[in-house]
Amino acid sequence: MSDDTGAGLSVDEFVDYCQTQAGLLSGRVETMRAEADDLLSEIDTEMAELRGQLEAHTETVEGPDSPSTPAGPDSGDPDIDAFEALEREVKEKQLLVEAKQTRMELFQELAAGYTDLAAELQSSVDDADAALERVVHFEADHDAPAYFEERQTMVEAVTDAQPSIDGE
């Protein structure tokens, strides 16, 4: 590998890099967890609202039969369209929570992988070039750049540093 990609970095610095990546991923998981908790709170509130509206409607239905008259604007009938809209909102939020949970699991798995890689580098790698190669392969195998929108990964740095294959 060329000196542009890992110039002057030590194995310890690659270990630190892996630990930093794991920490960033863990921090993102905590952010997603807070977002999911907020969505769950919104779902709880909306479900309570739905239950309250349904309970209010069932209370007005109980009692002796009254003569049938056309329903007026304030007849006390439930607003079915509003119920259905609220139900759709709740379902959409539930799907968002499920998607966040899946993303959190993926981020946690990658963070654990970085942590394991850091431990492996620290215990069994003495050469910085070998450490760089292990980190680059790890990131390529796990599609790490997809998890770091605002930060360049080692595999991206190495790819950017390599001369173009087609001779440009």
Side-chain angles (χ1 to χ4, degrees):
M1 306 226 154
S2 74
D3 265 357
D4 315 30
T5 56
L9 294 178
S10 68
V11 172
D12 286 342
E13 288 170 310
F14 286 108
V15 169
D16 289 344
Y17 168 81
C18 290
Q19 291 169 339
T20 298
Q21 296 293 82
L24 291 170
L25 290 165
S26 295
R28 185 67 183 117
V29 167
E30 290 306 313
T31 301
M32 285 187 279
R33 183 171 289 123
E35 292 168 355
D37 288 346
D38 289 346
L39 283 170
L40 289 170
S41 293
E42 289 176 25
I43 290 170
D44 287 344
T45 300
E46 290 170 356
M47 291 301 293
E49 182 182 327
L50 273 173
R51 278 191 295 278
Q53 289 177 10
L54 288 172
E55 288 171 2
H57 176 66
T58 57
E59 290 171 6
T60 60
V61 172
E62 293 176 12
D65 290 339
S66 60
S68 176
T69 58
D74 292 331
S75 67
D77 287 339
D79 184 352
I80 301 299
D81 291 338
F83 281 137
E84 289 174 347
L86 194 53
E87 180 183 26
R88 277 191 303 276
E89 269 185 56
V90 167
K91 285 182 181 180
E92 287 173 10
K93 287 180 182 176
Q94 287 172 330
L95 289 173
L96 282 173
V97 168
E98 289 174 18
K100 282 192 182 295
Q101 289 171 335
T102 300
R103 284 191 74 209
M104 288 184 330
E105 289 171 14
L106 293 171
F107 274 66
Q108 288 170 327
E109 288 172 14
L110 186 58
Y114 270 114
T115 300
D116 292 345
L117 179 58
E120 289 173 28
L121 294 176
Q122 198 164 35
S123 67
S124 64
V125 177
D126 296 325
D127 178 56
D129 287 336
L132 173 62
E133 187 174 334
R134 299 258 313 258
V135 171
V136 168
H137 283 293
F138 172 83
E139 289 184 341
D141 291 346
H142 293 88
D143 195 24
Y147 294 81
F148 297 97
E149 296 171 6
E150 298 175 5
R151 180 179 168 96
Q152 187 179 41
T153 60
M154 286 286 176
V155 71
E156 291 172 308
V158 167
T159 302
D160 291 348
Q162 289 179 350
S164 177
I165 294 174
D166 59 10
E168 289 179 16

